[in-house]
Amino acid sequence: MYLNNILADPERLARLIEIAQNSVVPLLQGAIFYTIPLTLISFVCGLGLAVLTALARISDVKILQIIARIYVSAIRGTPLLVQLFILFYGLPTIGITLDPWPSAIIGFSLNVGAYASEIIRAAILSIPKGQWEAGFSIGMSRRQALRRIIIPQAARVSIPPLSNTFISLVKDTSLASMILLTEMFRRAQEIATTNYEFLLLYTEAALIYWVICFILSIAQGRIENRLDRYVSR
Amino acid sequence: MISIKGLKKSFDQLEVLKGLDLEIDKGKVVVIIGPSGSGKTTFLRCLNVLETPTEGKISIGGQQIDFSAKVSPKLISSFRRLTGMVFQGYNLFPHMTALENVMEGPVTVKKETKVKARQKAAFFLEKVGLSDKVDFYPFQLSGGQQQRVGIARALAMEPEVMLFDEPTSALDPELVGEVLKVMKDLANEGMTMVVVTHEMRFAQEAADEVIFMDGGFIVERGAPDNIFSNPTADRTKQFLRMIQ
Ligand SMILES: Nc1ncnc2c1ncn2[C@@H]1O[C@H](COP(=O)(O)OP(=O)(O)OP(=O)(O)O)[C@@H](O)[C@H]1O
Ligand SMILES: [Mg+2]
């Protein structure tokens, strides 16, 4: 019906095309200057945090284990949107005021850190005990075996699930619109409130997310193929 | 070379090694046989300290550990370097080529330069007859070839004693010979070896002594001919009848 109405009304159609054309550039700018850098920075920081957390979980220092468990549990047990609100709208109450960018980076990094740490921990635990022992038997310490034998193999195992985390993160960054970061989705909202073409602008934003994720999933397939080179069985 | 006194190992309630005493002279090849579950693997793993014995003393080449007291991880890793372990399932590092597998110990543990370690690794791979496979990954090698890389990897650490835990039992029959040949060559060169195996031919041809283990004890020991043709203990007779 919506389509019929539009097609029956050349003026409306022309207006929509014009809006679409005019909004593509700001939306792409939102993607290029906000969505993509936010995703990349948060993923890199999150991954670092995830490795530390995974190592803490498998270490034999009880207190590190406990801290890591609480962190993972708290992040996984609360909505990302609520975490972002606490950082951006909540913390000023106790005198900590963060701009949208740092709030978003901290929020998303903490999130990736928790989820990815579980992936990395599972990957480390999936490496057969015999690999540790082979390392020990040639005189390696636990740390050396971890660094030279276990982590390289665990990295390969964890790449497919980590790629999924990365792709989810691209989409999750749209939540940063709620803490006033003018990333792509927020721009779509802002433009839509001036011309009331919500369906058009949100669909346009959705298409851009889709294109980004589609490209990433192709890259993911390539990386996995490369890594399969050394895998037995 | 090796002296073991009162070696005991328990897993929780289960006592697997119930007090072993054994002396092995330098350059000797000792073959351990015994039924499944008798503690052969556990014994070798204790020598390599992959398991920490509950009690007892082990000394190898002048270094001694007394397991009645608490042992530091540092002492364990230096002690471990006296023995080289060859595993039943090879346990090669799948993300490294044959050459890199063998270089890994010298580079990471002994801190040798890459150049020197590479030469050393090439030397040991040649010794096990794999000069043409240095750049192959484990999954590109047959079981027999993988096990020979495993032997080269252990040798590259220049251990005093080589330990083998059923090195050929995961192999197809036609691949067993190539691994046993490498082991015989090593024995002939004067390497001290402790080998858990059911390859009676190997025991007869290469062993100086055969030990029969059962139920966590050494039941009987002696020259291969004696053990195989004139076993004294009933349990040894039974076991030999079963496997022959
Ligand atoms: N990590 C462990 N935890 C608990 N029990 C163990 C462990 N390792 C070995 N055992 C037990 O110790 C006993 C001896 O095992 P071991 O592997 O040393 O026997 P084995 O003589 O090598 O047998 P096989 O010929 O089947 O290899 C078995 O009853 C086994 O179940
Ligand atoms: Mg065994």
Side-chain angles (χ1 to χ4, degrees), chain B residues 162-175:
Chain B
M162 285 286 284
L163 308 172
F164 297 81
D165 187 13
E166 305 201 34
T168 58
S169 65
L171 295 176
D172 292 337
E174 73 271 20
L175 301 177

Side-chain angles (χ1 to χ4, degrees), chain A:
Chain A
M1 212 176 66
Y2 180 73
L3 270 184
N4 277 343
N5 284 347
I6 295 171
L7 294 174
D9 181 352
E11 252 174 65
R12 176 89 202 286
L13 186 61
R15 188 176 113 89
L16 284 178
I17 291 173
E18 195 193 333
I19 292 176
Q21 279 173 344
N22 290 343
S23 58
V24 159
V25 171
L27 288 194
L28 283 179
Q29 280 175 341
I32 291 166
F33 297 115
Y34 290 84
T35 303
I36 293 172
L38 179 59
T39 304
L40 288 176
I41 296 170
S42 305
F43 192 71
V44 171
C45 297
L47 217 49
L49 195 57
V51 171
L52 293 180
T53 308
L55 292 179
R57 287 277 320 253
I58 61 163
S59 82
D60 20 63
V61 186
K62 256 269 139 49
I63 184 75
L64 288 180
Q65 280 179 25
I66 293 172
I67 294 172
R69 281 185 103 111
I70 293 176
Y71 158 57
V72 172
S73 168
I75 297 290
R76 298 215 305 176
T78 55
L80 176 51
L81 186 58
V82 175
Q83 295 161 16
L84 291 173
F85 269 46
I86 290 177
L87 283 167
F88 186 70
Y89 298 110
L91 289 185
T93 313
I94 55 168
I96 303 171
T97 307
L98 295 171
D99 286 336
W101 260 113
S103 307
I105 289 174
I106 294 171
F108 289 114
S109 300
L110 286 174
N111 214 261
V112 170
Y115 283 93
S117 77
E118 289 291 284
I119 293 172
I120 293 170
R121 187 177 79 98
I124 290 175
L125 294 180
S126 77
I127 305 304
K129 209 171 117 237
Q131 289 291 311
W132 286 96
E133 293 185 341
F136 294 154
S137 78
I138 53 171
M140 286 185 177
S141 63
R142 220 179 118 78
R143 180 185 291 249
Q144 286 170 328
L146 192 67
R147 188 169 55 82
R148 299 287 307 166
I149 311 300
I150 305 301
I151 297 278
Q153 293 182 62
R156 184 171 311 140
V157 178
S158 52
I159 280 185
L162 285 179
S163 317
N164 291 337
T165 306
F166 188 73
I167 291 174
S168 296
L169 180 61
V170 173
K171 295 174 288 174
D172 286 346
T173 57
S174 61
L175 288 173
S177 62
M178 305 293 284
I179 56 169
L180 312 183
L181 195 74
T182 50
E183 47 67 70
M184 177 166 57
F185 184 55
R186 181 156 189 99
R187 287 177 187 221
Q189 285 176 315
E190 284 172 358
I191 298 170
T193 43
T194 62
N195 56 29
Y196 300 101
E197 294 294 348
F198 294 101
L199 179 62
L200 175 70
L201 278 143
Y202 293 164
T203 308
E204 202 177 324
L207 282 173
I208 298 177
Y209 281 116
W210 190 8
V211 169
I212 296 175
C213 291
F214 183 71
I215 293 170
L216 287 174
S217 64
I218 291 174
Q220 175 183 9
R222 292 244 169 113
I223 294 174
E224 282 169 21
N225 278 341
R226 277 185 75 110
L227 289 170
D228 274 347
R229 272 191 313 187
Y230 313 132
V231 180
S232 47
R233 275 162 287 138

